[in-house]
Amino acid sequence: NIPIRLSKRPPPDNDNNAKSWWQLASPLSRSGDADGLYSIRVKAVDKAGNIEDKTFALRYDTQVPSARSIRASHIDGTTADVLTSTLINSPINQITIEFLDGEGSGIDLSKTTVRLVGPNGSAIGTNQRDDGANTVFLSFNPLHDDGSDDGLYRIQITPTDLAGNTFTSPVEFRFFYGTRKPEIVSTVPAEFSFATQLTSVSATLQDRSGEGIDTDGSTIRLQGPNGAEIAGRQLAPPQGAGTSQSTLTWELNTPPSRDGQSDGEYTIRLKVIDKAGNLLETGKTFVYDTLIPQVESVAANTTPSTPITAEGLEVINQSFTEISIVLSDANDKAPAPSPKVSGVDLVSTNV
């Protein structure tokens, strides 16, 4: 249905050939909407009345092929879609690009180039192969998972089709490779420390990916001596907190009692995830101890030893050189089994 006109040029007397051509009223669009397969139908008639009908095919193609999918292959066999997820946190060793040319002439895989550029700006050594149709496979040594290969990677693609359509400069797709998990800088109370009062627990987190801590996806909870979670709420990080370090806080609804019944070993449970998807799950323990150590016994080193009590005045009529005092930090207030306690601090204990 394209408007056209026919022009003819008669052959000379000694020429048995004649030429006819269609001339379009206006050129076909180069925006891609006119691309596709066209038919040229010819009806040839000579002066003797002989007729021949023939049809010829013509494909009109003005568009450069596009990447239909780009997938990164992990060494465990799974894949990640680079077009929808630009964060990768486990080793990969292959990039697969599937091209789409629509109604075009098809991909010229011999002239299509793909490069993988690392964080330092240099191209990664790769081996490029294809399936002979529309897919390129870029293989390379697996990226390390110790943080040494972490950074921003660029996939540079110069697609070319059989009609010669291509770009003057590569199309670039980026992804961030980060394998270093977040770290726990400190907790309050500190790990293996002792607390006598408790209204909240907190943790300071350090990002190692360069993308920042995902404070919305990270959690902090407090687990009591019996393994149950202590009721509370997680507070939002402070406003203006940087991406390198973040703080999570769990505020208790009700502080544990200070009569010894809630004493024991508590665990700060942390689930920390960074914006590259690296996950760290860990627990930090401390002892909650509210009871004062008790004096179990006092005795002079006579023969036999003479016990000294607080109830009365003990009279000793023989010489002695030492008074022994036995202290105990045991807790008989909490439910069985007997909870962990901080123990007697002999350095700070005065006699």
mmCIF file with all atom_site columns, all heavy atoms in Angstrom, residues 87 147 150-152 176-182 206-214 242-245 274-278:
data_model
loop_
_atom_site.group_PDB
_atom_site.id
_atom_site.type_symbol
_atom_site.label_atom_id
_atom_site.label_alt_id
_atom_site.label_comp_id
_atom_site.label_asym_id
_atom_site.label_entity_id
_atom_site.label_seq_id
_atom_site.pdbx_PDB_ins_code
_atom_site.Cartn_x
_atom_site.Cartn_y
_atom_site.Cartn_z
_atom_site.occupancy
_atom_site.B_iso_or_equiv
_atom_site.pdbx_formal_charge
_atom_site.auth_seq_id
_atom_site.auth_comp_id
_atom_site.auth_asym_id
_atom_site.auth_atom_id
_atom_site.pdbx_PDB_model_num
ATOM 1   N N   . LEU A 1 87  ? 23.045 -5.909  41.341 1.00 0.00 ? 87  LEU A N   1
ATOM 2   C CA  . LEU A 1 87  ? 23.886 -6.256  42.475 1.00 0.00 ? 87  LEU A CA  1
ATOM 3   C C   . LEU A 1 87  ? 24.139 -7.753  42.482 1.00 0.00 ? 87  LEU A C   1
ATOM 4   O O   . LEU A 1 87  ? 23.198 -8.554  42.474 1.00 0.00 ? 87  LEU A O   1
ATOM 5   C CB  . LEU A 1 87  ? 23.221 -5.829  43.793 1.00 0.00 ? 87  LEU A CB  1
ATOM 6   C CG  . LEU A 1 87  ? 22.966 -4.323  43.951 1.00 0.00 ? 87  LEU A CG  1
ATOM 7   C CD1 . LEU A 1 87  ? 22.163 -4.060  45.209 1.00 0.00 ? 87  LEU A CD1 1
ATOM 8   C CD2 . LEU A 1 87  ? 24.275 -3.561  43.996 1.00 0.00 ? 87  LEU A CD2 1
ATOM 9   N N   . GLY A 1 147 ? 36.646 -10.356 48.464 1.00 0.00 ? 147 GLY A N   1
ATOM 10  C CA  . GLY A 1 147 ? 36.616 -8.901  48.413 1.00 0.00 ? 147 GLY A CA  1
ATOM 11  C C   . GLY A 1 147 ? 37.611 -8.306  47.437 1.00 0.00 ? 147 GLY A C   1
ATOM 12  O O   . GLY A 1 147 ? 37.502 -7.133  47.080 1.00 0.00 ? 147 GLY A O   1
ATOM 13  N N   . ASP A 1 150 ? 35.868 -7.129  44.254 1.00 0.00 ? 150 ASP A N   1
ATOM 14  C CA  . ASP A 1 150 ? 34.654 -6.325  44.440 1.00 0.00 ? 150 ASP A CA  1
ATOM 15  C C   . ASP A 1 150 ? 34.758 -4.997  43.682 1.00 0.00 ? 150 ASP A C   1
ATOM 16  O O   . ASP A 1 150 ? 35.840 -4.425  43.545 1.00 0.00 ? 150 ASP A O   1
ATOM 17  C CB  . ASP A 1 150 ? 34.417 -6.044  45.919 1.00 0.00 ? 150 ASP A CB  1
ATOM 18  C CG  . ASP A 1 150 ? 33.918 -7.271  46.670 1.00 0.00 ? 150 ASP A CG  1
ATOM 19  O OD1 . ASP A 1 150 ? 33.954 -8.362  46.092 1.00 0.00 ? 150 ASP A OD1 1
ATOM 20  O OD2 . ASP A 1 150 ? 33.505 -7.127  47.839 1.00 0.00 ? 150 ASP A OD2 1
ATOM 21  N N   . GLY A 1 151 ? 33.619 -4.508  43.226 1.00 0.00 ? 151 GLY A N   1
ATOM 22  C CA  . GLY A 1 151 ? 33.590 -3.208  42.562 1.00 0.00 ? 151 GLY A CA  1
ATOM 23  C C   . GLY A 1 151 ? 32.573 -3.163  41.446 1.00 0.00 ? 151 GLY A C   1
ATOM 24  O O   . GLY A 1 151 ? 31.755 -4.070  41.261 1.00 0.00 ? 151 GLY A O   1
ATOM 25  N N   . LEU A 1 152 ? 32.620 -2.077  40.673 1.00 0.00 ? 152 LEU A N   1
ATOM 26  C CA  . LEU A 1 152 ? 31.684 -1.840  39.571 1.00 0.00 ? 152 LEU A CA  1
ATOM 27  C C   . LEU A 1 152 ? 32.228 -2.437  38.279 1.00 0.00 ? 152 LEU A C   1
ATOM 28  O O   . LEU A 1 152 ? 33.357 -2.149  37.874 1.00 0.00 ? 152 LEU A O   1
ATOM 29  C CB  . LEU A 1 152 ? 31.447 -0.335  39.403 1.00 0.00 ? 152 LEU A CB  1
ATOM 30  C CG  . LEU A 1 152 ? 30.430 0.067   38.331 1.00 0.00 ? 152 LEU A CG  1
ATOM 31  C CD1 . LEU A 1 152 ? 29.029 -0.382  38.727 1.00 0.00 ? 152 LEU A CD1 1
ATOM 32  C CD2 . LEU A 1 152 ? 30.463 1.565   38.100 1.00 0.00 ? 152 LEU A CD2 1
ATOM 33  N N   . PHE A 1 176 ? 27.207 -4.214  40.047 1.00 0.00 ? 176 PHE A N   1
ATOM 34  C CA  . PHE A 1 176 ? 28.155 -4.105  41.172 1.00 0.00 ? 176 PHE A CA  1
ATOM 35  C C   . PHE A 1 176 ? 28.361 -5.487  41.766 1.00 0.00 ? 176 PHE A C   1
ATOM 36  O O   . PHE A 1 176 ? 27.400 -6.188  42.102 1.00 0.00 ? 176 PHE A O   1
ATOM 37  C CB  . PHE A 1 176 ? 27.619 -3.153  42.243 1.00 0.00 ? 176 PHE A CB  1
ATOM 38  C CG  . PHE A 1 176 ? 28.591 -2.915  43.368 1.00 0.00 ? 176 PHE A CG  1
ATOM 39  C CD1 . PHE A 1 176 ? 29.554 -1.931  43.272 1.00 0.00 ? 176 PHE A CD1 1
ATOM 40  C CD2 . PHE A 1 176 ? 28.570 -3.700  44.509 1.00 0.00 ? 176 PHE A CD2 1
ATOM 41  C CE1 . PHE A 1 176 ? 30.472 -1.719  44.295 1.00 0.00 ? 176 PHE A CE1 1
ATOM 42  C CE2 . PHE A 1 176 ? 29.479 -3.505  45.537 1.00 0.00 ? 176 PHE A CE2 1
ATOM 43  C CZ  . PHE A 1 176 ? 30.433 -2.500  45.421 1.00 0.00 ? 176 PHE A CZ  1
ATOM 44  N N   . TYR A 1 177 ? 29.629 -5.868  41.874 1.00 0.00 ? 177 TYR A N   1
ATOM 45  C CA  . TYR A 1 177 ? 29.994 -7.157  42.471 1.00 0.00 ? 177 TYR A CA  1
ATOM 46  C C   . TYR A 1 177 ? 30.548 -6.888  43.868 1.00 0.00 ? 177 TYR A C   1
ATOM 47  O O   . TYR A 1 177 ? 31.560 -6.194  44.026 1.00 0.00 ? 177 TYR A O   1
ATOM 48  C CB  . TYR A 1 177 ? 31.032 -7.861  41.597 1.00 0.00 ? 177 TYR A CB  1
ATOM 49  C CG  . TYR A 1 177 ? 31.479 -9.209  42.119 1.00 0.00 ? 177 TYR A CG  1
ATOM 50  C CD1 . TYR A 1 177 ? 30.622 -10.300 42.133 1.00 0.00 ? 177 TYR A CD1 1
ATOM 51  C CD2 . TYR A 1 177 ? 32.774 -9.392  42.603 1.00 0.00 ? 177 TYR A CD2 1
ATOM 52  C CE1 . TYR A 1 177 ? 31.034 -11.532 42.604 1.00 0.00 ? 177 TYR A CE1 1
ATOM 53  C CE2 . TYR A 1 177 ? 33.199 -10.623 43.080 1.00 0.00 ? 177 TYR A CE2 1
ATOM 54  C CZ  . TYR A 1 177 ? 32.327 -11.687 43.072 1.00 0.00 ? 177 TYR A CZ  1
ATOM 55  O OH  . TYR A 1 177 ? 32.731 -12.900 43.542 1.00 0.00 ? 177 TYR A OH  1
ATOM 56  N N   . GLY A 1 178 ? 29.881 -7.397  44.879 1.00 0.00 ? 178 GLY A N   1
ATOM 57  C CA  . GLY A 1 178 ? 30.315 -7.182  46.259 1.00 0.00 ? 178 GLY A CA  1
ATOM 58  C C   . GLY A 1 178 ? 30.120 -8.435  47.092 1.00 0.00 ? 178 GLY A C   1
ATOM 59  O O   . GLY A 1 178 ? 29.020 -8.975  47.167 1.00 0.00 ? 178 GLY A O   1
ATOM 60  N N   . THR A 1 179 ? 31.197 -8.923  47.703 1.00 0.00 ? 179 THR A N   1
ATOM 61  C CA  . THR A 1 179 ? 31.134 -10.175 48.454 1.00 0.00 ? 179 THR A CA  1
ATOM 62  C C   . THR A 1 179 ? 31.458 -10.005 49.934 1.00 0.00 ? 179 THR A C   1
ATOM 63  O O   . THR A 1 179 ? 31.290 -10.941 50.708 1.00 0.00 ? 179 THR A O   1
ATOM 64  C CB  . THR A 1 179 ? 32.116 -11.201 47.861 1.00 0.00 ? 179 THR A CB  1
ATOM 65  O OG1 . THR A 1 179 ? 33.455 -10.668 47.926 1.00 0.00 ? 179 THR A OG1 1
ATOM 66  C CG2 . THR A 1 179 ? 31.770 -11.506 46.415 1.00 0.00 ? 179 THR A CG2 1
ATOM 67  N N   . ARG A 1 180 ? 31.942 -8.835  50.327 1.00 0.00 ? 180 ARG A N   1
ATOM 68  C CA  . ARG A 1 180 ? 32.339 -8.639  51.721 1.00 0.00 ? 180 ARG A CA  1
ATOM 69  C C   . ARG A 1 180 ? 31.110 -8.374  52.583 1.00 0.00 ? 180 ARG A C   1
ATOM 70  O O   . ARG A 1 180 ? 30.367 -7.425  52.347 1.00 0.00 ? 180 ARG A O   1
ATOM 71  C CB  . ARG A 1 180 ? 33.344 -7.491  51.829 1.00 0.00 ? 180 ARG A CB  1
ATOM 72  C CG  . ARG A 1 180 ? 34.729 -7.858  51.335 1.00 0.00 ? 180 ARG A CG  1
ATOM 73  C CD  . ARG A 1 180 ? 35.697 -6.707  51.419 1.00 0.00 ? 180 ARG A CD  1
ATOM 74  N NE  . ARG A 1 180 ? 35.431 -5.724  50.372 1.00 0.00 ? 180 ARG A NE  1
ATOM 75  C CZ  . ARG A 1 180 ? 36.236 -4.707  50.095 1.00 0.00 ? 180 ARG A CZ  1
ATOM 76  N NH1 . ARG A 1 180 ? 37.342 -4.529  50.799 1.00 0.00 ? 180 ARG A NH1 1
ATOM 77  N NH2 . ARG A 1 180 ? 35.948 -3.868  49.133 1.00 0.00 ? 180 ARG A NH2 1
ATOM 78  N N   . LYS A 1 181 ? 30.924 -9.225  53.565 1.00 0.00 ? 181 LYS A N   1
ATOM 79  C CA  . LYS A 1 181 ? 29.757 -9.095  54.438 1.00 0.00 ? 181 LYS A CA  1
ATOM 80  C C   . LYS A 1 181 ? 29.927 -7.920  55.396 1.00 0.00 ? 181 LYS A C   1
ATOM 81  O O   . LYS A 1 181 ? 31.054 -7.503  55.698 1.00 0.00 ? 181 LYS A O   1
ATOM 82  C CB  . LYS A 1 181 ? 29.560 -10.395 55.244 1.00 0.00 ? 181 LYS A CB  1
ATOM 83  C CG  . LYS A 1 181 ? 29.193 -11.598 54.392 1.00 0.00 ? 181 LYS A CG  1
ATOM 84  C CD  . LYS A 1 181 ? 28.948 -12.809 55.267 1.00 0.00 ? 181 LYS A CD  1
ATOM 85  C CE  . LYS A 1 181 ? 28.522 -14.009 54.422 1.00 0.00 ? 181 LYS A CE  1
ATOM 86  N NZ  . LYS A 1 181 ? 28.234 -15.190 55.262 1.00 0.00 ? 181 LYS A NZ  1
ATOM 87  N N   . PRO A 1 182 ? 28.801 -7.405  55.887 1.00 0.00 ? 182 PRO A N   1
ATOM 88  C CA  . PRO A 1 182 ? 28.893 -6.347  56.898 1.00 0.00 ? 182 PRO A CA  1
ATOM 89  C C   . PRO A 1 182 ? 29.585 -6.865  58.158 1.00 0.00 ? 182 PRO A C   1
ATOM 90  O O   . PRO A 1 182 ? 29.656 -8.082  58.387 1.00 0.00 ? 182 PRO A O   1
ATOM 91  C CB  . PRO A 1 182 ? 27.426 -5.998  57.184 1.00 0.00 ? 182 PRO A CB  1
ATOM 92  C CG  . PRO A 1 182 ? 26.650 -6.576  56.054 1.00 0.00 ? 182 PRO A CG  1
ATOM 93  C CD  . PRO A 1 182 ? 27.420 -7.753  55.561 1.00 0.00 ? 182 PRO A CD  1
ATOM 94  N N   . GLN A 1 206 ? 29.226 -1.953  60.350 1.00 0.00 ? 206 GLN A N   1
ATOM 95  C CA  . GLN A 1 206 ? 30.160 -1.395  59.361 1.00 0.00 ? 206 GLN A CA  1
ATOM 96  C C   . GLN A 1 206 ? 29.895 -2.033  58.012 1.00 0.00 ? 206 GLN A C   1
ATOM 97  O O   . GLN A 1 206 ? 29.906 -3.257  57.867 1.00 0.00 ? 206 GLN A O   1
ATOM 98  C CB  . GLN A 1 206 ? 31.605 -1.665  59.792 1.00 0.00 ? 206 GLN A CB  1
ATOM 99  C CG  . GLN A 1 206 ? 32.659 -1.183  58.791 1.00 0.00 ? 206 GLN A CG  1
ATOM 100 C CD  . GLN A 1 206 ? 32.762 0.326   58.745 1.00 0.00 ? 206 GLN A CD  1
ATOM 101 O OE1 . GLN A 1 206 ? 32.898 0.974   59.781 1.00 0.00 ? 206 GLN A OE1 1
ATOM 102 N NE2 . GLN A 1 206 ? 32.694 0.900   57.553 1.00 0.00 ? 206 GLN A NE2 1
ATOM 103 N N   . ASP A 1 207 ? 29.637 -1.189  56.998 1.00 0.00 ? 207 ASP A N   1
ATOM 104 C CA  . ASP A 1 207 ? 29.459 -1.684  55.634 1.00 0.00 ? 207 ASP A CA  1
ATOM 105 C C   . ASP A 1 207 ? 30.813 -1.929  54.988 1.00 0.00 ? 207 ASP A C   1
ATOM 106 O O   . ASP A 1 207 ? 31.728 -1.124  55.119 1.00 0.00 ? 207 ASP A O   1
ATOM 107 C CB  . ASP A 1 207 ? 28.670 -0.659  54.821 1.00 0.00 ? 207 ASP A CB  1
ATOM 108 C CG  . ASP A 1 207 ? 28.625 -1.023  53.348 1.00 0.00 ? 207 ASP A CG  1
ATOM 109 O OD1 . ASP A 1 207 ? 28.216 -2.150  53.051 1.00 0.00 ? 207 ASP A OD1 1
ATOM 110 O OD2 . ASP A 1 207 ? 29.022 -0.190  52.512 1.00 0.00 ? 207 ASP A OD2 1
ATOM 111 N N   . ARG A 1 208 ? 30.942 -3.054  54.271 1.00 0.00 ? 208 ARG A N   1
ATOM 112 C CA  . ARG A 1 208 ? 32.173 -3.368  53.560 1.00 0.00 ? 208 ARG A CA  1
ATOM 113 C C   . ARG A 1 208 ? 31.964 -3.473  52.049 1.00 0.00 ? 208 ARG A C   1
ATOM 114 O O   . ARG A 1 208 ? 32.914 -3.680  51.310 1.00 0.00 ? 208 ARG A O   1
ATOM 115 C CB  . ARG A 1 208 ? 32.751 -4.691  54.082 1.00 0.00 ? 208 ARG A CB  1
ATOM 116 C CG  . ARG A 1 208 ? 33.231 -4.642  55.529 1.00 0.00 ? 208 ARG A CG  1
ATOM 117 C CD  . ARG A 1 208 ? 34.306 -3.613  55.722 1.00 0.00 ? 208 ARG A CD  1
ATOM 118 N NE  . ARG A 1 208 ? 34.820 -3.566  57.097 1.00 0.00 ? 208 ARG A NE  1
ATOM 119 C CZ  . ARG A 1 208 ? 35.624 -2.618  57.556 1.00 0.00 ? 208 ARG A CZ  1
ATOM 120 N NH1 . ARG A 1 208 ? 35.990 -1.628  56.760 1.00 0.00 ? 208 ARG A NH1 1
ATOM 121 N NH2 . ARG A 1 208 ? 36.041 -2.645  58.807 1.00 0.00 ? 208 ARG A NH2 1
ATOM 122 N N   . SER A 1 209 ? 30.716 -3.340  51.617 1.00 0.00 ? 209 SER A N   1
ATOM 123 C CA  . SER A 1 209 ? 30.420 -3.511  50.191 1.00 0.00 ? 209 SER A CA  1
ATOM 124 C C   . SER A 1 209 ? 30.604 -2.224  49.399 1.00 0.00 ? 209 SER A C   1
ATOM 125 O O   . SER A 1 209 ? 30.798 -2.252  48.189 1.00 0.00 ? 209 SER A O   1
ATOM 126 C CB  . SER A 1 209 ? 28.980 -3.990  50.008 1.00 0.00 ? 209 SER A CB  1
ATOM 127 O OG  . SER A 1 209 ? 28.056 -2.950  50.330 1.00 0.00 ? 209 SER A OG  1
ATOM 128 N N   . GLY A 1 210 ? 30.529 -1.090  50.083 1.00 0.00 ? 210 GLY A N   1
ATOM 129 C CA  . GLY A 1 210 ? 30.558 0.188   49.393 1.00 0.00 ? 210 GLY A CA  1
ATOM 130 C C   . GLY A 1 210 ? 29.183 0.680   49.002 1.00 0.00 ? 210 GLY A C   1
ATOM 131 O O   . GLY A 1 210 ? 29.024 1.801   48.523 1.00 0.00 ? 210 GLY A O   1
ATOM 132 N N   . GLU A 1 211 ? 28.162 -0.159  49.209 1.00 0.00 ? 211 GLU A N   1
ATOM 133 C CA  . GLU A 1 211 ? 26.796 0.199   48.850 1.00 0.00 ? 211 GLU A CA  1
ATOM 134 C C   . GLU A 1 211 ? 25.975 0.691   50.039 1.00 0.00 ? 211 GLU A C   1
ATOM 135 O O   . GLU A 1 211 ? 24.912 1.286   49.874 1.00 0.00 ? 211 GLU A O   1
ATOM 136 C CB  . GLU A 1 211 ? 26.089 -1.006  48.208 1.00 0.00 ? 211 GLU A CB  1
ATOM 137 C CG  . GLU A 1 211 ? 26.674 -1.422  46.873 1.00 0.00 ? 211 GLU A CG  1
ATOM 138 C CD  . GLU A 1 211 ? 26.496 -0.361  45.811 1.00 0.00 ? 211 GLU A CD  1
ATOM 139 O OE1 . GLU A 1 211 ? 25.348 -0.076  45.440 1.00 0.00 ? 211 GLU A OE1 1
ATOM 140 O OE2 . GLU A 1 211 ? 27.516 0.198   45.367 1.00 0.00 ? 211 GLU A OE2 1
ATOM 141 N N   . GLY A 1 212 ? 26.449 0.445   51.247 1.00 0.00 ? 212 GLY A N   1
ATOM 142 C CA  . GLY A 1 212 ? 25.728 0.874   52.435 1.00 0.00 ? 212 GLY A CA  1
ATOM 143 C C   . GLY A 1 212 ? 24.931 -0.248  53.084 1.00 0.00 ? 212 GLY A C   1
ATOM 144 O O   . GLY A 1 212 ? 24.636 -1.272  52.465 1.00 0.00 ? 212 GLY A O   1
ATOM 145 N N   . ILE A 1 213 ? 24.582 -0.057  54.359 1.00 0.00 ? 213 ILE A N   1
ATOM 146 C CA  . ILE A 1 213 ? 23.778 -1.032  55.100 1.00 0.00 ? 213 ILE A CA  1
ATOM 147 C C   . ILE A 1 213 ? 22.303 -0.839  54.758 1.00 0.00 ? 213 ILE A C   1
ATOM 148 O O   . ILE A 1 213 ? 21.801 0.289   54.703 1.00 0.00 ? 213 ILE A O   1
ATOM 149 C CB  . ILE A 1 213 ? 23.974 -0.864  56.627 1.00 0.00 ? 213 ILE A CB  1
ATOM 150 C CG1 . ILE A 1 213 ? 25.445 -1.104  57.001 1.00 0.00 ? 213 ILE A CG1 1
ATOM 151 C CG2 . ILE A 1 213 ? 23.058 -1.808  57.401 1.00 0.00 ? 213 ILE A CG2 1
ATOM 152 C CD1 . ILE A 1 213 ? 25.930 -2.517  56.807 1.00 0.00 ? 213 ILE A CD1 1
ATOM 153 N N   . ASP A 1 214 ? 21.613 -1.934  54.522 1.00 0.00 ? 214 ASP A N   1
ATOM 154 C CA  . ASP A 1 214 ? 20.167 -1.892  54.311 1.00 0.00 ? 214 ASP A CA  1
ATOM 155 C C   . ASP A 1 214 ? 19.500 -1.915  55.685 1.00 0.00 ? 214 ASP A C   1
ATOM 156 O O   . ASP A 1 214 ? 19.205 -2.975  56.233 1.00 0.00 ? 214 ASP A O   1
ATOM 157 C CB  . ASP A 1 214 ? 19.719 -3.089  53.470 1.00 0.00 ? 214 ASP A CB  1
ATOM 158 C CG  . ASP A 1 214 ? 18.221 -3.099  53.201 1.00 0.00 ? 214 ASP A CG  1
ATOM 159 O OD1 . ASP A 1 214 ? 17.527 -2.165  53.666 1.00 0.00 ? 214 ASP A OD1 1
ATOM 160 O OD2 . ASP A 1 214 ? 17.742 -4.028  52.544 1.00 0.00 ? 214 ASP A OD2 1
ATOM 161 N N   . GLY A 1 242 ? 25.470 8.049   58.055 1.00 0.00 ? 242 GLY A N   1
ATOM 162 C CA  . GLY A 1 242 ? 26.188 7.784   56.819 1.00 0.00 ? 242 GLY A CA  1
ATOM 163 C C   . GLY A 1 242 ? 25.962 6.367   56.333 1.00 0.00 ? 242 GLY A C   1
ATOM 164 O O   . GLY A 1 242 ? 25.348 5.538   57.013 1.00 0.00 ? 242 GLY A O   1
ATOM 165 N N   . THR A 1 243 ? 26.461 6.077   55.127 1.00 0.00 ? 243 THR A N   1
ATOM 166 C CA  . THR A 1 243 ? 26.270 4.752   54.552 1.00 0.00 ? 243 THR A CA  1
ATOM 167 C C   . THR A 1 243 ? 27.320 3.769   55.038 1.00 0.00 ? 243 THR A C   1
ATOM 168 O O   . THR A 1 243 ? 27.145 2.580   54.920 1.00 0.00 ? 243 THR A O   1
ATOM 169 C CB  . THR A 1 243 ? 26.321 4.829   53.022 1.00 0.00 ? 243 THR A CB  1
ATOM 170 O OG1 . THR A 1 243 ? 27.584 5.376   52.627 1.00 0.00 ? 243 THR A OG1 1
ATOM 171 C CG2 . THR A 1 243 ? 25.208 5.719   52.484 1.00 0.00 ? 243 THR A CG2 1
ATOM 172 N N   . SER A 1 244 ? 28.440 4.270   55.565 1.00 0.00 ? 244 SER A N   1
ATOM 173 C CA  . SER A 1 244 ? 29.514 3.369   55.983 1.00 0.00 ? 244 SER A CA  1
ATOM 174 C C   . SER A 1 244 ? 29.186 2.678   57.293 1.00 0.00 ? 244 SER A C   1
ATOM 175 O O   . SER A 1 244 ? 29.363 1.474   57.430 1.00 0.00 ? 244 SER A O   1
ATOM 176 C CB  . SER A 1 244 ? 30.822 4.139   56.114 1.00 0.00 ? 244 SER A CB  1
ATOM 177 O OG  . SER A 1 244 ? 31.860 3.286   56.532 1.00 0.00 ? 244 SER A OG  1
ATOM 178 N N   . GLN A 1 245 ? 28.716 3.420   58.280 1.00 0.00 ? 245 GLN A N   1
ATOM 179 C CA  . GLN A 1 245 ? 28.337 2.844   59.571 1.00 0.00 ? 245 GLN A CA  1
ATOM 180 C C   . GLN A 1 245 ? 26.884 3.169   59.881 1.00 0.00 ? 245 GLN A C   1
ATOM 181 O O   . GLN A 1 245 ? 26.387 4.241   59.539 1.00 0.00 ? 245 GLN A O   1
ATOM 182 C CB  . GLN A 1 245 ? 29.233 3.371   60.691 1.00 0.00 ? 245 GLN A CB  1
ATOM 183 C CG  . GLN A 1 245 ? 30.605 2.749   60.725 1.00 0.00 ? 245 GLN A CG  1
ATOM 184 C CD  . GLN A 1 245 ? 31.327 3.006   62.043 1.00 0.00 ? 245 GLN A CD  1
ATOM 185 O OE1 . GLN A 1 245 ? 30.859 3.731   62.908 1.00 0.00 ? 245 GLN A OE1 1
ATOM 186 N NE2 . GLN A 1 245 ? 32.485 2.380   62.203 1.00 0.00 ? 245 GLN A NE2 1
ATOM 187 N N   . ASP A 1 274 ? 23.521 -5.819  53.628 1.00 0.00 ? 274 ASP A N   1
ATOM 188 C CA  . ASP A 1 274 ? 23.909 -4.571  52.969 1.00 0.00 ? 274 ASP A CA  1
ATOM 189 C C   . ASP A 1 274 ? 23.140 -4.428  51.660 1.00 0.00 ? 274 ASP A C   1
ATOM 190 O O   . ASP A 1 274 ? 22.399 -5.322  51.245 1.00 0.00 ? 274 ASP A O   1
ATOM 191 C CB  . ASP A 1 274 ? 25.424 -4.493  52.757 1.00 0.00 ? 274 ASP A CB  1
ATOM 192 C CG  . ASP A 1 274 ? 25.962 -5.590  51.849 1.00 0.00 ? 274 ASP A CG  1
ATOM 193 O OD1 . ASP A 1 274 ? 25.208 -6.091  50.994 1.00 0.00 ? 274 ASP A OD1 1
ATOM 194 O OD2 . ASP A 1 274 ? 27.140 -5.955  51.979 1.00 0.00 ? 274 ASP A OD2 1
ATOM 195 N N   . LYS A 1 275 ? 23.320 -3.301  51.005 1.00 0.00 ? 275 LYS A N   1
ATOM 196 C CA  . LYS A 1 275 ? 22.552 -3.015  49.797 1.00 0.00 ? 275 LYS A CA  1
ATOM 197 C C   . LYS A 1 275 ? 23.056 -3.779  48.584 1.00 0.00 ? 275 LYS A C   1
ATOM 198 O O   . LYS A 1 275 ? 22.447 -3.701  47.512 1.00 0.00 ? 275 LYS A O   1
ATOM 199 C CB  . LYS A 1 275 ? 22.548 -1.508  49.537 1.00 0.00 ? 275 LYS A CB  1
ATOM 200 C CG  . LYS A 1 275 ? 21.756 -0.747  50.596 1.00 0.00 ? 275 LYS A CG  1
ATOM 201 C CD  . LYS A 1 275 ? 21.749 0.735   50.346 1.00 0.00 ? 275 LYS A CD  1
ATOM 202 C CE  . LYS A 1 275 ? 20.951 1.454   51.427 1.00 0.00 ? 275 LYS A CE  1
ATOM 203 N NZ  . LYS A 1 275 ? 20.957 2.924   51.244 1.00 0.00 ? 275 LYS A NZ  1
ATOM 204 N N   . ALA A 1 276 ? 24.135 -4.537  48.759 1.00 0.00 ? 276 ALA A N   1
ATOM 205 C CA  . ALA A 1 276 ? 24.598 -5.449  47.715 1.00 0.00 ? 276 ALA A CA  1
ATOM 206 C C   . ALA A 1 276 ? 24.026 -6.846  47.917 1.00 0.00 ? 276 ALA A C   1
ATOM 207 O O   . ALA A 1 276 ? 24.274 -7.737  47.118 1.00 0.00 ? 276 ALA A O   1
ATOM 208 C CB  . ALA A 1 276 ? 26.127 -5.506  47.696 1.00 0.00 ? 276 ALA A CB  1
ATOM 209 N N   . GLY A 1 277 ? 23.290 -7.039  49.012 1.00 0.00 ? 277 GLY A N   1
ATOM 210 C CA  . GLY A 1 277 ? 22.656 -8.331  49.283 1.00 0.00 ? 277 GLY A CA  1
ATOM 211 C C   . GLY A 1 277 ? 23.460 -9.261  50.158 1.00 0.00 ? 277 GLY A C   1
ATOM 212 O O   . GLY A 1 277 ? 23.041 -10.393 50.413 1.00 0.00 ? 277 GLY A O   1
ATOM 213 N N   . ASN A 1 278 ? 24.625 -8.826  50.658 1.00 0.00 ? 278 ASN A N   1
ATOM 214 C CA  . ASN A 1 278 ? 25.427 -9.676  51.541 1.00 0.00 ? 278 ASN A CA  1
ATOM 215 C C   . ASN A 1 278 ? 24.782 -9.737  52.922 1.00 0.00 ? 278 ASN A C   1
ATOM 216 O O   . ASN A 1 278 ? 24.408 -8.704  53.494 1.00 0.00 ? 278 ASN A O   1
ATOM 217 C CB  . ASN A 1 278 ? 26.846 -9.122  51.654 1.00 0.00 ? 278 ASN A CB  1
ATOM 218 C CG  . ASN A 1 278 ? 27.564 -9.120  50.317 1.00 0.00 ? 278 ASN A CG  1
ATOM 219 O OD1 . ASN A 1 278 ? 27.755 -10.163 49.712 1.00 0.00 ? 278 ASN A OD1 1
ATOM 220 N ND2 . ASN A 1 278 ? 27.953 -7.938  49.849 1.00 0.00 ? 278 ASN A ND2 1
#
